[in-house]
Amino acid sequence: MIRKNIKKILVPMDGSKNSMRGLDEAIYLARQCHATITGLYVIPIYPRNFSDSIIPFQLHLTKSAKKFMESVKTICAQKGIVFKSKIVLGSPTIEIDEISKNNEFDIIVIGSRGQSGLKEVFLGSVAKAIVHKSKIPVLVVK
């Protein structure tokens, strides 16, 4: 049964097939509930003393994230869904949790890592952490 009071959906994304599966489910849910989707792309922060070459790498990641989020916005628009993108630097688990709380989302739809064999029974580390920390419903898509 789909909750009709779902109006804001948060979809953490990283450009992987798993995050795209999460997006597909979020699009389905958004169409049923007339909700909007916010895609969240978290770029990891590396310690300052790690290397001076990290800054150009983070700039490259930011540029790639923007390009990816534009393509996702196009996909959502083609399906009649309003999509907002948010790109932040930080720890994925912390940022997803904080943004979900501060922006009053109704649900988080997150893709888990798609492993085969014994690892298949385990969620990805970020998805697992979000399931345990979140105060709002979390839909994990395998």
Side-chain angles (χ1 to χ4, degrees):
M1 184 160 97
I2 296 174
R3 288 179 45 191
K4 294 296 182 187
N5 59 351
I6 294 175
K7 296 297 174 200
K8 290 176 69 176
I9 302 171
L10 179 63
V11 183
M13 306 195 75
D14 62 5
S16 68
K17 289 180 185 177
N18 300 324
S19 69
M20 292 305 291
R21 282 197 299 267
L23 176 67
D24 290 340
E25 287 298 319
I27 289 171
Y28 173 78
L29 187 59
R31 292 184 81 190
Q32 301 302 311
C33 299
H34 306 289
T36 62
I37 295 174
T38 299
L40 176 62
Y41 197 111
V42 182
I43 299 170
I45 293 180
Y46 300 97
R48 287 182 185 245
N49 60 359
F50 185 79
S51 172
D52 292 334
S53 63
I54 290 300
I55 293 171
F57 182 64
Q58 284 180 331
L59 292 173
H60 171 72
L61 289 176
T62 302
K63 184 178 176 182
S64 295
K66 286 179 183 176
K67 184 177 178 183
F68 172 72
M69 294 302 254
E70 282 300 316
S71 68
V72 171
K73 185 175 184 175
T74 302
I75 291 168
C76 288
Q78 289 171 344
K79 298 190 179 192
I81 303 298
V82 175
F83 179 84
K84 301 171 190 168
S85 66
K86 189 172 203 69
I87 300 170
V88 297
L89 294 170
S91 165
T93 304
I94 293 169
E95 295 300 326
I96 294 166
D97 187 48
E98 287 297 315
I99 288 170
S100 69
K101 286 179 191 172
N102 296 339
N103 293 290
E104 299 178 356
F105 285 95
D106 300 309
I107 189 169
I108 300 169
V109 179
I110 188 168
S112 70
R113 69 178 187 202
Q115 303 269 337
S116 59
L118 181 60
K119 291 182 181 180
E120 188 175 282
V121 297
F122 299 107
L123 297 176
S125 59
V126 173
K128 181 179 178 181
I130 295 304
V131 166
H132 291 288
K133 289 182 82 170
S134 180
K135 302 290 186 217
I136 64 172
V138 178
L139 173 60
V140 180
V141 180
K142 284 186 106 178

